[in-house]
Amino acid sequence: MSIRIDRQRCIGCGKCAEICPGNLIVIDEDKKAFIRDPRDCWGCAACVKECTFQAIQYFLGADIGGKGTIMYVKKENNLLYWFFKKPNGEKEVIVQNPNDNTTY
């Protein structure tokens, strides 16, 4: 499991690099984000949530039951939309209100 960064979508804002707890994401000379070594990513998904341009996708590999599903996040009106694109073409969306994260 790791992230993938779409260089065409990346605007080089650096928010992903700032939020990465492992300091694994850096901005290169082209002002694009890249991950130093994807094998070191422990999958916290902080960068995925921080990127408002959907340039960072999280790969859910078979090792965690994702079977190649790709996940990315879009923020809109204080809500997080978690998009899941499965290898068979199916798509799912989960809507989350971050303000309700501690509500049970």
Side-chain angles (χ1 to χ4, degrees):
M1 91 186 129
S2 184
I3 61 167
R4 294 180 183 167
I5 300 174
D6 183 338
R7 292 180 58 85
Q8 292 184 344
R9 287 183 172 249
C10 178
I11 65 162
C13 67
K15 291 182 179 177
C16 55
E18 291 174 12
I19 198 82
C20 179
N23 295 321
L24 301 173
I25 300 174
V26 294
I27 305 297
D28 65 15
E29 63 274 358
D30 295 329
K31 305 289 185 202
K32 302 290 183 179
F34 76 95
I35 185 166
R36 291 184 192 158
D37 189 345
R39 294 175 294 183
D40 289 339
C41 176
W42 57 80
C44 71
C47 59
V48 178
K49 289 187 283 187
E50 193 66 24
C51 181
T52 58
F53 301 95
Q54 296 87 50
I56 302 178
Q57 298 179 337
Y58 189 80
F59 179 74
L60 302 168
D63 55 331
I64 60 169
K67 300 179 182 177
T69 297
I70 302 293
M71 177 190 80
Y72 61 96
V73 179
K74 182 178 180 181
K75 293 178 185 175
E76 193 171 294
N77 298 328
N78 294 326
L79 296 176
L80 293 176
Y81 294 83
W82 297 79
F83 293 89
F84 298 88
K85 294 178 7 185
K86 298 180 180 180
N88 65 3
E90 287 183 41
K91 296 179 181 177
E92 289 184 35
V93 180
I94 297 173
V95 181
Q96 174 195 26
N97 183 343
N99 296 326
D100 293 340
N101 280 350
T102 58
T103 303
Y104 296 99

